[in-house]
Amino acid sequence: MTDGREHVALVIGALIALVLQLAASPALAVGPAQPNFLAAYCVAVAVARPRSCGPVLPFVLGLAYDLAGGGPVGAMAFVLVLVTFVASRAMEALNNDTLFMPLAILVASLLSVELLYGALCLACGAGGSLADALAYRALPCALYDCVAGLVAYPLAARFLAGRPLRHPGSPQLR
């Protein structure tokens, strides 16, 4: 896949994630927990393309999340830039060409996004206690994000990185 086609696929995926975040996420809310499609997409891209993951996409999508939501402006943008950087470096260091490592890094990163965002909201005076923020917002949202991320990662690996997923024991396609 050429570099221009990858950028077009990256922007189209970001627009789809933004539309899902604005339209579908409030409809899927269960209490205070709702999925963060933007975080799932950013982390999936960082894990699928660890060498070419930059800070622009997570910052822009995090800022869109902050402006559309009710949290402190810049908090999700900061958290997404930080977590996607760490996820991409972890993927470069720990990649062993199996499906386990990308999914483990994806799940750990999405849990980190929700925990860090909850901590930043509490630090900015959003109210509530740490236990309430953890039990009623961060963990249910992280579960939602992991489901969205597990759907987004195979798509990102196929359309953005140009490599199909394969089982370690299967023959190599040429």
Side-chain angles (χ1 to χ4, degrees):
M1 194 180 276
T2 64
D3 195 32
R5 290 174 66 192
E6 287 178 359
H7 287 306
V8 169
L10 187 70
V11 170
I12 289 172
L15 290 175
I16 291 170
L18 184 62
V19 167
L20 284 173
Q21 184 65 38
L22 295 175
S25 184
L28 296 173
V30 176
Q34 61 180 338
N36 187 346
F37 293 109
L38 300 176
Y41 180 70
C42 288
V43 173
V45 168
V47 172
R49 299 174 47 173
R51 288 185 175 80
S52 62
C53 175
V56 175
L57 178 74
F59 179 78
V60 169
L61 290 181
L63 198 57
Y65 180 88
D66 290 335
L67 293 174
V73 176
M76 184 58 77
F78 172 71
V79 168
L80 281 181
V81 169
L82 181 70
V83 170
T84 56
F85 174 77
V86 171
S88 67
R89 296 306 172 251
M91 186 62 188
E92 279 186 349
L94 300 174
N95 189 13
N96 59 359
D97 289 334
T98 64
L99 192 55
F100 175 74
M101 284 315 297
L103 296 183
I105 292 170
L106 182 87
V107 168
S109 298
L110 289 171
L111 179 62
S112 299
V113 164
E114 292 299 337
L115 291 175
L116 289 173
Y117 184 70
L120 274 176
C121 286
L122 283 177
C124 292
S129 68
L130 180 63
D132 288 341
L134 180 67
Y136 296 116
R137 191 200 177 285
L139 293 178
C141 288
L143 182 63
Y144 258 144
D145 296 351
C146 289
V147 171
L150 292 174
V151 171
Y153 174 72
L155 296 172
R158 176 67 181 115
F159 292 111
L160 298 177
R163 64 177 191 270
L165 297 177
R166 64 176 190 87
H167 189 273
S170 66
Q172 191 79 334
L173 297 176
R174 293 181 195 239

